[in-house]
């Protein structure tokens, strides 16, 4: 039996004991996860510096704070999320208990990504624990130093219920051959297809957090200086290795030079005149990605940056001007510090350009016009739309985070993580009395019975209006009386 098979079997065996169902157990595990983050902060920061050239403060800001917020929210709201959820009823079921009961799915596989190897690996785990599942965590082997830190998770969590499996492609493939109750994958669309194909063998549901080319439209009438500050921050953070980074700019030719000049000023302000020596500017994760990114610039005109150092996997913050739709850089998600500018004639052409391509994970629009923003919302589709800023929607737990179409399926964050990794079970509890009200559904199916069935089945009752048990009981008794009397006529 392989190590991967053993991990899955151990997690399932632990889940079947039922010990993850009590809320106290789940809260304790979430608190232990928070303790792991607290005690291993230095180890995490050192690993992130080796993997992605991140400073300790950047690791705290972009990896840890959001994760701590998710844990705090889950702990404080778990009782509410896990409680039975009443639903409106029809007159036929007015006396019954009808509700939705969230219940654990079982064993969840979480396949993390390398670009934010703590946040995007452990945030889904928060949802899995909160929902009462067992989990097998597979950190990305690309961010190898951080993966070694994540191997320590079982020292803090229930080691039977929560397994960590490290390794590369063979280990991931072996995991995908096992049966899970849900698979949560963050990464590229190409690998997402392979995950979905493997999941189909066991009819396993999936959450795929993918990516794509997130467009950024700049309206000529907006405050271009502020727009470029926010775009520069969103694009070059983590050296452009962010799934929701602005992938390319769409703007009219009349403002292209101003956009370039403002981005140039922001790069100098944020990263100095020598980003290579600046502590808060990152590096490309490895040589393969370095070469891939550099190859994307070969047929385009560099307006800013363009220099690189393969020995350090360094690529300067770069802007490409007058990029055509057929350019190499427009054929795939860049996932690096390269920002192409594509010229469009107006908003209508920008919308058409966006709609002719795969639906993006995020869409950004910068404009002072509410009409322009509303038009972009109503005439396009994307995982998220943000007006006049970048990336910040990821920080809001009450917003579902996820893609659409090629950019992903499913969603998470806050309660959405809990619901995504729960089975929302429909429950109806009926008593063995008041049989008279059921006469209309029993043969023979007369026209009069049909008329009464129409009334009782189609009339919805809002439970908020019937707070007193006596009121509900009275209505139920009245319904039975009327139906019985009618059917005896």
């Amino acid at each position: 039996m392989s190590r991967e098979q053993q991990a899955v079997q151990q997690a399932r065996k632990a889940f079947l004991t039922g010990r993850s169902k009590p809320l106290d157990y789940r809260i304790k595990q979430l608190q232990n996860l928070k303790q792991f983050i607290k005690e291993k902060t230095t180890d995490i920061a050192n690993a992130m510096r080796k993997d992605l050239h991140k400073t300790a403060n950047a690791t705290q800001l972009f990896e840890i704070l959001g994760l701590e917020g998710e844990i705090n929210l889950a702990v404080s709201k778990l009782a509410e999320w896990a409680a039975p959820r009443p639903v409106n009823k029809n007159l036929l079921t007015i006396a019954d208990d009808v509700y939705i009961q969230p219940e654990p799915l079982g064993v969840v596989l979480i396949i993390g990504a390398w670009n934010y190897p703590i946040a995007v690996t452990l945030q889904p785990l928060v949802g899995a624990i909160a929902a009462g599942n067992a989990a097998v965590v597979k950190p990305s082997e690309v961010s190898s130093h951080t993966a070694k830190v994540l191997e320590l998770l079982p020292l803090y969590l229930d080691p039977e219920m929560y397994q960590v499996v490290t390794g590369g492609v063979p280990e991931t493939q072996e995991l995908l051959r096992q049966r899970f109750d849900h698979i949560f994958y963050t990464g590229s669309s190409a690998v997402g297809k392979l995950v979905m194909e493997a999941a189909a063998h066991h009819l396993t549901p999936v959450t795929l957090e993918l990516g794509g080319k997130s467009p950024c439209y700049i309206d000529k009438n907006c405050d271009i200086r502020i727009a470029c500050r926010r775009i520069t921050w969103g694009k070059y953070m983590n050296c452009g290795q962010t799934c929701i980074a602005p992938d390319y700019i769409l703007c009219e030719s009349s403002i292209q030079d101003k956009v370039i000049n403002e981005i140039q000023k922001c790069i100098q302000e944020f990263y100095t005149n020598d980003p290579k020596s600046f502590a808060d500017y990152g590096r490309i994760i490895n040589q393969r990605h370095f070469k891939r990114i550099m190859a994307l610039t070969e047929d385009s005109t560099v307006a800013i940056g363009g220099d690189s150092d393969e020995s350090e996997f360094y690529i300067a913050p770069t802007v490409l001007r007058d990029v055509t739709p057929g350019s190499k850089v427009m054929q795939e998600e860049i996932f690096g510090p390269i920002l192409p500018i594509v010229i469009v004639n107006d908003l209508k052409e920008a919308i058409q350009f966006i709609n002719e391509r795969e639906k993006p994970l995020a869409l950004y629009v910068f404009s002072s016009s509410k009409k322009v923003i509303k038009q972009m919302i109503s005439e396009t589709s994307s995982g998220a739309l943000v007006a006049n800023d970048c990336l910040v929607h990821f920080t809001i737990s009450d917003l579902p985070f996820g893609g659409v179409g090629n950019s992903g399926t499913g969603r998470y964050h806050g309660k959405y993580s809990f619901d995504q990794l729960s089975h929302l079970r429909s429950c109806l509890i009926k008593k063995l009395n008041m049989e008279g009200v059921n006469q209309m559904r029993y043969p023979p199916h007369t026209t009069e019975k049909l008329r009464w069935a129409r009334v009782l089945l189609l009339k919805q009752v809002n439970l908020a209006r019937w707070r007193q048990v006596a009121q509900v009981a009275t209505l139920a008794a009245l319904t039975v009386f009327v139906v019985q009397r009618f059917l005896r006529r």
Side-chain angles (χ1 to χ4, degrees):
M1 184 184 297
S2 68
R3 178 170 61 107
E4 294 75 26
Q5 286 177 305
Q6 289 178 337
V8 178
Q9 287 193 12
Q10 181 61 71
R12 189 167 300 282
K13 181 179 178 181
F15 175 76
L16 291 175
T17 66
R19 65 177 181 262
S20 65
K21 288 192 174 182
L23 300 192
D24 288 346
Y25 172 92
R26 306 183 200 181
I27 290 173
K28 179 62 177 174
Q29 297 304 309
L30 290 170
Q31 291 171 337
N32 289 349
L33 180 59
K34 189 173 180 179
Q35 189 67 22
F36 163 79
I37 297 167
K38 181 180 179 181
E39 293 186 5
K40 297 301 177 184
T41 294
T42 301
D43 293 337
I44 291 170
N46 290 336
M48 297 291 284
R49 178 177 54 79
K50 294 175 182 177
D51 284 332
L52 289 155
H53 198 256
K54 282 186 181 179
T55 63
N57 286 341
T59 297
Q60 282 285 330
L61 188 58
F62 301 119
E63 297 272 354
I64 303 301
L65 289 182
L67 179 57
E68 288 183 350
E70 286 283 305
I71 295 173
N72 292 341
L73 179 65
V75 169
S76 65
K77 294 287 188 179
L78 184 56
E80 177 185 325
W81 294 348
R85 305 175 188 181
V87 299
N88 291 337
K89 299 182 280 189
N90 54 41
L91 287 174
L92 187 64
T93 57
I94 189 63
D96 304 332
D97 292 329
V98 184
Y99 57 91
I100 298 168
Q101 178 63 63
E103 64 177 22
L105 289 171
V107 182
V108 176
L109 172 62
I110 299 170
I111 305 176
W114 55 261
N115 58 327
Y116 292 90
I118 295 296
V120 301
T121 304
L122 297 187
Q123 283 197 16
L125 180 60
V126 171
I129 293 173
N133 298 296
V136 176
V137 177
K138 171 60 179 66
S140 173
E141 72 281 3
V142 178
S143 49
S144 57
H145 297 92
T146 310
K148 286 191 174 297
V149 179
L150 289 173
E151 282 187 303
L152 303 175
L153 270 174
L155 298 178
Y156 291 79
L157 304 178
D158 183 332
E160 296 177 337
M161 192 78 68
Y162 305 106
Q163 306 276 326
V164 177
V165 175
T166 56
V169 173
E171 288 76 15
T172 303
Q173 290 175 333
E174 181 62 26
L175 280 173
L176 289 172
R177 280 190 279 269
Q178 312 308 310
R179 184 177 72 83
F180 290 93
D181 299 288
H182 197 98
I183 298 176
F184 197 114
Y185 167 76
T186 303
S188 69
S189 298
V191 177
K193 293 176 182 178
L194 299 177
V195 171
M196 200 168 192
E197 183 179 352
H201 181 72
H202 297 290
L203 295 178
T204 300
V206 297
T207 299
L208 302 177
E209 296 298 338
L210 309 176
K213 298 182 74 64
S214 295
C216 180
Y217 174 69
I218 304 178
D219 183 14
K220 64 182 178 182
N221 296 317
C222 78
D223 187 326
I224 294 176
R225 183 184 69 86
I226 292 178
C228 288
R229 286 180 66 81
R230 297 175 185 179
I231 293 168
T232 301
W233 169 75
K235 178 62 180 181
Y236 300 114
M237 184 179 75
N238 202 34
C239 206
Q241 298 165 119
T242 303
C243 61
I244 50 174
D247 190 90
Y248 61 93
I249 288 174
L250 295 172
C251 69
E252 296 181 23
S253 59
S254 61
I255 64 170
Q256 179 178 215
D257 289 338
K258 186 172 183 180
V259 167
I260 292 171
N261 289 335
E262 291 297 337
I263 292 177
Q264 175 75 74
K265 293 177 185 176
C266 292
I267 291 173
Q268 291 174 343
E269 178 187 349
F270 296 167
Y271 303 112
T272 75
N273 288 324
D274 184 17
K276 185 178 181 181
S277 301
F278 190 64
D280 270 318
Y281 186 71
R283 294 294 185 272
I284 303 304
I285 187 68
N286 58 27
Q287 186 180 49
R288 179 174 69 85
H289 281 283
F290 174 89
K291 289 185 174 182
R292 178 189 63 80
I293 294 167
M294 291 304 299
L296 296 178
T297 68
E298 291 174 351
D299 59 352
S300 296
T301 302
V302 175
I304 301 172
D307 53 311
S308 63
D309 183 346
E310 185 173 346
S311 67
E312 293 189 18
F313 305 150
Y314 166 79
I315 300 176
T318 299
V319 176
L320 308 177
R321 65 175 299 139
D322 298 312
V323 173
T324 64
S327 300
K328 289 183 179 180
V329 76
M330 294 303 294
Q331 305 313 306
E332 63 180 73
E333 182 180 8
I334 299 168
F335 223 66
I338 311 296
L339 182 58
I341 300 178
V342 178
I343 299 302
V344 291
N345 290 320
D346 50 28
L347 173 63
K348 181 179 179 181
E349 187 174 325
I351 291 174
Q352 181 180 348
F353 189 95
I354 294 167
N355 289 339
E356 286 174 349
R357 287 154 179 81
E358 297 284 1
K359 295 179 181 180
L361 184 57
L363 193 163
Y364 303 109
V365 51
F366 286 83
S367 178
S368 300
S369 168
K370 291 182 179 179
K371 181 179 179 181
V372 168
I373 294 170
K374 287 182 179 179
Q375 188 172 345
M376 189 67 80
I377 292 173
S378 65
E379 296 183 16
T380 63
S381 177
S382 59
L385 183 140
V386 178
N388 297 322
D389 210 340
C390 298
L391 278 61
V392 293
H393 62 291
F394 187 86
T395 67
I396 302 173
S397 293
D398 282 345
L399 281 178
F401 183 84
V404 58
N406 205 61
S407 60
T409 180
R411 61 209 54 81
Y412 73 120
H413 283 185
K415 186 173 182 288
Y416 297 99
S417 298
F418 179 90
D419 285 352
Q420 185 79 85
L421 297 175
S422 296
H423 170 52
L424 300 182
R425 191 179 194 180
S426 300
C427 297
L428 187 150
I429 314 300
K430 185 181 288 288
K431 296 181 176 63
L432 287 171
N433 59 10
M434 295 169 56
E435 180 65 4
V437 77
N438 294 317
Q439 292 302 317
M440 73 186 68
R441 66 181 182 179
Y442 298 148
H445 302 302
T446 65
T447 302
E448 291 301 322
K449 286 183 178 181
L450 175 61
R451 185 168 70 84
W452 272 97
R454 182 178 296 277
V455 173
L456 297 182
L457 290 174
L458 299 185
K459 177 61 177 178
Q460 293 292 310
V461 179
N462 188 336
L463 293 183
R465 300 176 183 175
W466 301 95
R467 299 184 183 279
Q468 300 298 323
V469 175
Q471 289 177 314
V472 175
T474 300
L475 181 60
L478 180 60
T479 301
V480 173
F481 172 77
V482 172
V483 172
Q484 286 178 326
R485 182 162 183 173
F486 173 80
L487 294 176
R488 288 172 185 160
R489 286 167 44 184

